[in-house]
């Protein structure tokens, strides 16, 4: 068997680079509230969720492709960092930052793998396929569960309102509609328990 050592060197370089994702700290707390999670933990968590919740996908999906998307969707944060979804200023220019980061990170791979990984990442970002919509739904659902199980978590810390969370959770409605009743139940209970502000209700 002839081994292309240059190809293997690039693959190993990419794998070593991936380790840096463990250093990217997100806003969300672990469910025991001991610390904030990192992006590698987040990616592992939702990839496993995809296996557990596969039956709630609205279509017959390519589950392997869903898993691939969830495992690589945040790899670009190695270079671009994690931008908090409710940070209006931080989200300005986010798409361009992440596009350039994708060029840099996936560019470490041999050209054929770089094209494959980039296509998977682009598919997730565009959200046009059933697989991408389901993957995006799980990405939002995981954060909902984290905040609900930490007494409000980042909602409470950053004074987030229910209407903001609903807007953020909307991809679940189309990507995994069977999970939407859970979203509504969590948000209702979160408001009742003071984890989340409901300014609309308070004004009525």
């Amino acid at each position: 068997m002839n081994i292309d050592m240059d190809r293997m060197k690039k693959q190993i370089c990419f794998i070593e680079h991936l380790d840096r994702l463990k250093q990217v700290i997100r806003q969300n707390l672990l469910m025991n509230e001991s610390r904030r999670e990192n992006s590698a933990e987040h990616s592992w968590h939702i990839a496993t969720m995809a296996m557990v919740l596969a039956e709630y996908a609205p279509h017959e999906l390519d589950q392997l492709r869903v898993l691939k998307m969830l495992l690589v969707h945040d790899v670009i944060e190695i270079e671009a960092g994690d931008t908090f979804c409710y940070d209006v200023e931080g989200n300005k220019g986010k798409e361009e930052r992440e596009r350039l980061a994708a060029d840099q990170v996936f560019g470490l791979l041999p050209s054929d793998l770089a094209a494959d990984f980039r296509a998977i990442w682009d598919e997730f970002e565009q959200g046009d396929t059933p697989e991408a919509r389901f993957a995006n739904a799980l990405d939002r659902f995981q954060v909902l569960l984290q905040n609900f199980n930490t007494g409000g978590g980042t909602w409470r810390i950053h004074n987030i309102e229910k209407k903001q969370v609903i807007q953020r959770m909307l991809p679940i409605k189309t990507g995994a509609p069977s999970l939407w009743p859970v979203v509504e139940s969590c948000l209702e209970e979160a408001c009742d328990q003071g984890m989340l502000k409901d300014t609309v209700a308070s004004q009525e």
Side-chain angles (χ1 to χ4, degrees):
M1 179 179 179
N2 292 324
I3 296 176
D4 184 336
M5 295 306 298
D6 183 60
R7 177 182 178 84
M8 183 183 288
K9 183 178 178 180
K10 289 178 180 178
Q11 291 167 318
I12 292 173
C13 179
F14 177 77
I15 291 167
E16 291 171 343
H17 199 68
L18 282 183
D19 191 73
R20 292 174 53 189
L21 194 63
K22 302 170 188 175
Q23 302 171 40
V24 178
I25 305 301
R26 294 164 51 84
Q27 289 290 327
N28 297 309
L29 301 172
L30 299 183
M31 291 187 191
N32 69 358
E33 301 183 66
S34 61
R35 61 174 173 81
R36 288 157 59 186
E37 73 172 350
N38 66 55
S39 287
E41 292 168 328
H42 166 73
S43 297
W44 160 81
H45 199 183
I46 52 176
T48 308
M49 282 173 58
M51 296 167 62
V52 175
L53 301 176
E55 65 197 86
Y56 302 110
H59 306 281
E60 192 72 27
L61 301 182
D62 180 345
Q63 285 294 335
L64 178 58
R65 193 157 187 86
V66 172
L67 289 174
K68 287 180 177 180
M69 277 188 236
L70 292 173
L71 288 171
V72 306
H73 80 290
D74 277 341
V75 166
I76 51 87
E77 292 181 358
I78 291 171
E79 302 300 337
D82 176 64
T83 304
F84 185 44
C85 59
Y86 299 111
D87 181 353
V88 175
E89 286 300 314
N91 275 278
K92 291 179 180 177
K94 179 186 176 216
E95 288 187 14
E96 178 64 11
R97 288 196 307 273
E98 293 192 343
R99 185 186 65 78
L100 293 173
D103 291 342
Q104 186 174 353
V105 174
F106 298 133
L108 295 171
L109 286 162
S111 59
D112 59 325
L113 290 179
D116 288 345
F117 275 59
R118 181 57 184 264
I120 290 167
W121 183 79
D122 284 337
E123 182 178 345
F124 178 86
E125 289 297 309
Q126 292 161 7
D128 292 334
T129 64
E131 286 80 6
R133 287 191 288 272
F134 186 59
N136 271 281
L138 295 181
D139 190 33
R140 308 298 169 93
F141 192 63
Q142 188 248 11
V143 176
L144 174 85
L145 295 179
Q146 280 182 311
N147 282 312
F148 184 75
N149 282 278
T150 53
T154 54
W155 300 337
R156 178 173 34 80
I157 294 168
H158 296 280
N159 210 28
I160 303 301
E161 298 181 7
K162 180 183 178 182
K163 62 183 180 182
Q164 294 173 275
V165 179
I166 290 175
Q167 185 64 34
R168 181 69 183 165
M169 295 297 129
L170 284 179
I172 299 173
K173 214 169 190 178
T174 52
S178 296
L179 298 177
W180 188 250
V182 181
V183 174
E184 293 181 312
S185 177
C186 285
L187 294 184
E188 182 178 350
E189 187 173 343
C191 290
D192 289 344
Q193 294 187 13
M195 302 179 197
L196 188 61
K197 289 168 51 178
D198 188 355
T199 53
V200 175
S202 64
Q203 291 170 2
E204 291 177 352

